Amino acid sequence: EDRDMKLVSSEEICRTPIFWVTLDKAIDPDGFEIKRAIVQHQGSAVMMAVDAKNRVLLVRQYRLPARAFLWELPAGRVDAGETVLKAAKRELIEETGFKASKWTKLFTFFASPGYVAERMTIYVAQELKAGAATPMEDERIETRWFTMAEIGRMIRSNEIVDAKTVIGWTVWRERARAASQKS
């Protein structure tokens, strides 16, 4: 049963260049209360670049929280005043050098809604044109094209453990499957 939760307080307790943390309190009409420290975030754009051969471009970089190099869909933060699509276009060029002339919104989700307020939106980028990547100072990014079958195998064998990549691959595959059943 849905209850009307009302945010009654939100106090910033920490700020970094990428995110900030608030201590939030919400209450419903019956007096039920939730208190949480929440990592606040502008949101992220995720780019699923798909070429004419239906291959997907993944990036590999060292992820400090994971303490590992991960294969994943490229992604980046939405800057203040920027739409998610504009961020996707900017980030795809920065991280991979590719420009796309066809963009389709695939899926929006919360990365970890228990304590993180980050909303991630995956866009499929098609009709690609290669160019030079301009990664940020703290990014060393390797790129490689993978078939949908290779990505599926890598997910099943735990070589891909990044949630946005698993979600993007799954939603893309399900939409393709549904489309082929209609025809």
Side-chain angles (χ1 to χ4, degrees):
E1 170 187 335
D2 276 350
R3 295 186 174 274
D4 294 324
M5 294 300 297
K6 183 178 181 206
L7 186 67
V8 291
S9 65
S10 182
E11 175 194 350
E12 186 177 305
I13 56 175
C14 171
R15 183 169 284 270
T16 79
I18 297 171
F19 64 86
W20 63 104
V21 180
T22 58
L23 197 51
D24 290 7
K25 184 168 131 181
I27 196 162
D28 79 1
D30 297 335
F32 175 73
E33 190 177 286
I34 301 172
K35 273 191 200 168
R36 288 279 186 290
I38 299 174
V39 177
Q40 304 286 351
H41 191 279
Q42 291 277 117
S44 296
V46 182
M47 298 76 67
M48 188 168 175
V50 180
D51 73 3
K53 297 176 189 169
N54 215 32
R55 296 177 307 169
V56 176
L57 186 65
L58 297 183
V59 296
R60 185 175 185 262
Q61 58 186 320
Y62 188 78
R63 292 301 202 171
L64 197 52
R67 307 284 193 265
F69 284 92
L70 301 182
W71 281 109
E72 58 190 275
L73 290 174
R77 190 177 59 144
V78 177
D79 289 338
E82 196 175 40
T83 65
V84 182
L85 180 57
K86 186 175 177 188
K89 290 177 179 182
R90 175 183 53 75
E91 285 286 345
L92 185 64
I93 293 167
E94 284 177 13
E95 290 195 8
T96 72
F98 280 94
K99 280 184 180 169
S101 57
K102 184 182 176 191
W103 290 87
T104 312
K105 189 178 188 175
L106 183 66
F107 197 68
T108 299
F109 65 98
F110 284 98
S112 184
Y115 68 99
V116 180
E118 179 182 12
R119 184 188 301 265
M120 302 188 98
T121 301
I122 304 172
Y123 281 93
V124 176
Q126 292 170 297
E127 297 171 16
L128 303 163
K129 200 171 103 185
T134 55
M136 295 172 76
E137 284 173 14
D138 66 348
E139 291 178 322
R140 191 174 292 156
I141 298 171
E142 177 187 345
T143 61
R144 195 185 325 160
W145 292 98
F146 292 89
T147 65
M148 292 301 280
E150 286 171 322
I151 293 171
R153 182 190 52 75
M154 291 168 75
I155 289 169
R156 287 187 295 279
S157 66
N158 267 32
E159 287 174 80
I160 292 178
V161 294
D162 171 66
K164 68 185 175 297
T165 305
V166 174
I167 291 168
W169 179 84
T170 303
V171 174
W172 175 257
R173 192 193 62 187
E174 287 305 312
R175 292 218 178 145
R177 198 175 276 169
S180 72
Q181 287 171 350
K182 278 182 187 168
S183 54

